[in-house]
Amino acid sequence: MTFTRLSNLDHFPQHLRGAFVAIGNFDGFHRGHQSILAALREAARDAGAPAIVLTFEPHPRDVFAPAPFMFRLTQGSAKAQLAEALGLDGILVLPFDKAFSQIEAETFVEEFLVERMQVRGVFIGADFHFGRQRRGTPLFLQAEGEKRAFAVTILDLMDEGDEVISSSRIRAALSEGSVAAANRLLGYHWFFDGCVVKGDQRGRDLGYPTANTLTPTGFQLAQGVYAVRARLGDRLLDGVAAYGKPMFDNQRPPFETHLFDFDEDIYDQILHVALVGHIRGQEVFNGLDELIAAMDRDSRKARDMIAKARPISELDQKLGFFR
């Protein structure tokens, strides 16, 4: 079955009706989410039914919380990439706004799940709530499923150490530059994408031309230097990247990636970047000679980190940053 991406329920395809569906925000598609989706796939396979994800964009917290908006691990396009790599049959990303939040829980079940999707089974995490005033609790959905003839499976959160694996825990790790910890909790190398834009050209003058990608509102990755692997179309490229400009203008800086052994004009193209490792935090140097010497050291460390890097999981392999 070809993977299907949907952004509304106006014309829900016939081949996905009667699916088993996992519902949630799934920011990060981390290992806890993956455990839910693995159970979903198994149940759908046993029943000979499709397995899909129903999620929401923007994140509900972005709709209600004042700026600055939350640090998102995965935007809608990344969620679709992850869902497909995990072997699901489709993803439905419903637009979320304040009007949507006022839909009654009973209406969501009747009109969305039963009438339009004709679900056979629903999988959710133990912390999932939906509908106006968050009245759609896991137990409410289970009771609705019994009345309307679809199964509901509620799965506990996955533990790692003394805490559950959660999106907020991963956000905190990335905001501290703890790339290895974040990648371990995700089960893959964290990645994001952006359109390559023109920068101030300082990197080229210093012998380190960079592909600059704008970061979204709320991007809270720790400022510093990283070893990265990038995808540009079908090409896989290694590099060293800097986020933050302590010696220059540091107001919402772009993510600047120096791609090794690469010198092409790629403005306006989409660059997908995965973090392999954290090299150092941002530093202020006494002049450009010290800065260039540091960039030389960073490049050597990045090449060494990338040479030793291996995919964390089968999912990591399927995402295309390792071959």
Side-chain angles (χ1 to χ4, degrees), residues 150-323:
F150 62 84
V152 175
T153 302
I154 304 169
L155 295 174
D156 291 330
L157 305 180
M158 179 182 287
D159 292 332
E160 166 90 4
D162 295 331
E163 301 178 69
V164 298
I165 297 175
S166 67
S167 302
S168 58
R169 187 177 172 190
I170 297 165
R171 291 186 198 105
L174 289 171
S175 68
E176 296 168 358
S178 300
V179 173
N183 289 347
R184 184 184 70 252
L185 295 170
L186 287 165
Y188 62 89
H189 287 77
W190 183 64
F191 68 94
F192 58 94
D193 58 47
C195 183
V196 179
V197 299
K198 282 199 172 184
D200 52 25
Q201 308 294 309
R202 283 197 183 95
R204 185 170 296 279
D205 293 340
L206 298 174
Y208 282 91
T210 59
N212 297 346
T213 51
L214 296 178
T215 55
T217 302
F219 193 79
Q220 294 173 19
L221 177 69
Q223 294 195 9
V225 180
Y226 297 86
V228 301
R229 179 157 275 178
R231 283 194 288 108
L232 181 67
D234 294 330
R235 289 187 286 177
L236 200 56
L237 304 164
D238 297 337
V240 60
Y243 180 56
K245 291 184 172 185
M247 295 180 67
F248 304 102
D249 178 12
N250 204 32
Q251 296 298 313
R252 197 180 170 190
F255 192 87
E256 301 179 89
T257 304
H258 172 68
L259 299 168
F260 297 140
D261 310 312
F262 183 86
D263 186 17
E264 297 178 23
D265 182 341
I266 57 172
Y267 294 126
D268 300 323
Q269 296 188 48
I270 299 298
L271 190 68
H272 304 263
V273 181
L275 299 190
V276 175
H278 180 258
I279 295 174
R280 62 174 173 84
Q282 285 291 11
E283 300 176 30
V284 175
F285 299 96
N286 296 316
L288 295 182
D289 288 342
E290 281 192 17
L291 173 60
I292 293 170
M295 293 165 72
D296 291 341
R297 292 192 299 272
D298 296 337
S299 294
R300 290 192 296 270
K301 290 179 182 178
R303 287 181 185 273
D304 184 57
M305 282 184 177
I306 295 166
K308 295 176 181 177
R310 297 294 181 270
I312 298 170
S313 64
E314 182 180 353
L315 170 61
D316 204 18
Q317 183 87 41
K318 288 182 177 179
L319 287 170
F321 291 101
F322 292 88
R323 293 175 184 165

Side-chain angles (χ1 to χ4, degrees), residues 6-85:
L6 300 168
S7 59
N8 59 66
L9 278 167
D10 292 343
H11 303 285
F12 194 73
Q14 185 65 39
H15 72 276
L16 291 181
R17 292 184 181 177
F20 282 67
V21 56
I23 309 175
N25 292 310
F26 295 108
D27 190 29
F29 272 66
H30 55 61
R31 285 168 43 212
H33 296 146
Q34 291 166 38
S35 68
I36 295 174
L37 299 175
L40 172 78
R41 286 197 314 271
E42 183 178 357
R45 183 181 63 244
D46 291 346
I52 66 174
V53 169
L54 192 168
T55 188
F56 311 94
E57 287 292 338
H59 194 288
R61 289 186 191 174
D62 279 352
V63 173
F64 292 103
F69 298 118
M70 67 182 294
F71 179 16
R72 294 293 307 282
L73 300 174
T74 43
Q75 305 290 339
S77 60
K79 287 182 179 180
Q81 292 177 55
L82 286 156
E84 185 172 10

